[in-house]
């Protein structure tokens, strides 16, 4: 017995029924329907239902994908059809769905997005809610969120700030090219540049109980974590301190700096200074003898100074004593 | 142009008198009918088990090539 098509061309508001008439009996092979969602009051799923003579719904075959209001679809129902996205490996990322989880997710792109400045992958939050990358850690690569850098430009490009933090006792680590710390290689692999006008602090440690060291270097050529004007650059015309080290310890009964130490450790064959404090004084518009080269304060009281002409000056009434 | 979508339906759906096939649009959360959705052309491909002339009811029976 050949199959026959039954067609209804009229457009009606959903639902649209075909009632098997009289003494008819048919085996349904497929159903195709043009669904116009241009006037839909909300999101919908196309559905094919079998209705019993008493009005009961015997089955409902629905689309796995929700159609947004305004979307139109041309749907064909076949026996044995499976949605392509569920053939293996999960059902893909969907909006407004929580939670979405699986064993793993790898995303690789080879092209650029023509709608978002040509990025291969772009995550954009326009609602002012931020973007979070969270992890419980990783045994290699330093743990945390790992940014793999293999280009000639910096791994991070930040316009308005970046917050890198890690839980546990290890603290947060920023690694540049070849896993070296800041300043590794011939040029800084990672540059941190604060441009905020209100607070020019590029790095700040909050409540560091174990160690207040927030910059450290392990490079063989230059063991200094911070060196040179390439990393700390006091721009011309700027006010305030070019480099400020401020310790705020509450108690240290062993003596040495409660606030902070300058500690030099030149281990072998060094030709330079272990620790050097140098002041270069410009003499524009005045006598150099009145320009202070260095000053030492205790609290708010200036107790010692070296003028730019090399003269030493102490607190009035105090003597210089050698008795250590 | 509307997006073409293929969906699953039961095999060997043998329908007798009084049963209906309904094409509709449901709310994905509540299952309720979504207002404003229109259903245009519907084509049911079926085998006439009862024999004789098939009764198409409100639907049109498309004449075969020899008709």
């Amino acid at each position: 017995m050949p199959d026959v098509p039954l067609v209804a061309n009229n457009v009606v508001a959903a639902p649209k029924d075909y009632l098997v008439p009289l003494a008819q009996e048919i085996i349904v092979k497929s159903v195709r329907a043009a669904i116009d969602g241009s006037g839909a009051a909300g999101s919908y799923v196309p559905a094919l239902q079998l209705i019993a003579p008493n009005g009961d719904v015997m089955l409902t075959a629905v689309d796995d994908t929700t159609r947004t209001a305004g979307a139109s679809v041309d749907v064909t129902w076949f026996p044995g059809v499976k949605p392509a996205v569920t053939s293996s490996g999960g059902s893909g990322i969907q909006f407004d769905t929580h939670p979405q989880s699986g064993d793993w997710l790898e995303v690789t792109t080879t092209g650029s997005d023509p709608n978002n400045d040509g990025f291969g992958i772009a995550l954009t939050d326009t609602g002012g809610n931020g973007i979070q990358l969270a992890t419980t850690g990783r045994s290699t690569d330093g743990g945390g969120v790992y940014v793999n850098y293999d280009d000639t430009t910096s791994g991070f490009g930040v316009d308005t700030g970046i917050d890198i933090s890690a839980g546990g006792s290890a603290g947060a680590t920023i690694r540049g090219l070849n896993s070296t710390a800041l300043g590794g290689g011939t040029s800084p692999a990672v540059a941190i540049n604060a441009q905020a006008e209100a607070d020019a602090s590029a790095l700040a440690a909050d409540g560091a109980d174990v160690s207040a060291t927030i910059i450290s270097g392990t490079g063989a050529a230059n063991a200094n974590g911070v060196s040179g004007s390439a990393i700390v650059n006091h721009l011309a015309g700027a006010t305030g301190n070019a480099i400020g080290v401020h310790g705020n310890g509450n108690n240290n009964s062993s003596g040495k700096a409660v606030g902070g130490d300058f500690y030099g450790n030149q281990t072998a064959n060094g030709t330079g200074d272990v620790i050097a404090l140098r002041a270069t004084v410009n003499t524009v518009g005045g006598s150099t003898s009145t320009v202070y080269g260095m000053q030492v304060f205790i609290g708010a009281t200036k107790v010692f100074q070296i003028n730019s002409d090399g003269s030493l000056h102490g607190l009035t009434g105090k003597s210089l004593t050698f008795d250590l | 142009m509307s997006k073409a979508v293929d969906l699953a339906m039961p095999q060997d759906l043998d329908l007798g008198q009084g049963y209906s096939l309904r094409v509709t649009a449901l709310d994905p959360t509540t299952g309720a009918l979504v207002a404003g959705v229109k259903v245009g052309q519907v084509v049911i491909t079926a085998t006439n088990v009862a024999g004789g002339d098939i009764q198409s009811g409100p639907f049109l029976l498309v004449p075969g090539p020899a008709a």
Side-chain angles (χ1 to χ4, degrees), chain A residues 84-92:
Chain A
V85 293
T86 58
S87 58
S88 63
S91 57

Side-chain angles (χ1 to χ4, degrees), chain A residues 3-4 6-7 9 12 16-18 20 22 24-27 29 32 34 36 41 45 49 74 76 78 81, chain B residues 3 5 7-9 14-15 17 19 21-23 26 35 38-41 43-48 55 60:
Chain A
D3 295 337
V4 293
L6 301 168
V7 181
N9 289 316
V12 299
K16 188 173 187 178
D17 291 355
Y18 169 69
V20 180
L22 302 176
Q24 194 66 61
E25 181 181 357
I26 60 173
I27 296 176
K29 299 296 185 65
R32 185 193 139 261
D36 179 4
V45 288
Q49 293 181 317
D74 193 327
T76 303
F78 294 95
V81 170
Chain B
K3 178 180 176 64
V5 178
L7 300 177
M9 62 173 282
D14 192 341
L15 304 183
Q17 178 185 347
Y19 289 85
L21 282 174
R22 171 174 293 173
V23 176
L26 303 179
K38 295 180 180 179
V39 181
Q41 184 186 57
V43 179
I44 300 171
T45 301
T47 300
N48 180 13
Q55 303 297 320
L60 300 175

Side-chain angles (χ1 to χ4, degrees), chain A residues 142-239:
Chain A
V145 177
Y146 183 46
V147 178
N148 188 6
Y149 164 88
D150 60 1
D151 204 341
T152 56
T153 56
S154 61
F156 285 107
V158 183
D159 288 335
T160 57
I162 185 168
D163 182 2
I164 299 176
S165 59
S169 59
T173 300
I174 304 174
R175 294 179 185 275
L177 190 62
N178 298 326
S179 295
T180 57
L182 299 181
T186 56
S187 61
V190 176
I192 298 178
N193 180 14
Q195 301 181 31
E197 295 179 359
D199 184 356
S201 298
L203 300 174
D206 295 329
D209 295 332
V210 177
S211 173
T213 300
I214 57 176
I215 302 176
S216 62
T218 57
N222 187 345
N224 295 316
V226 178
S227 66
S229 59
I231 293 180
V232 181
N233 186 9
H234 196 50
L235 299 178
T239 58

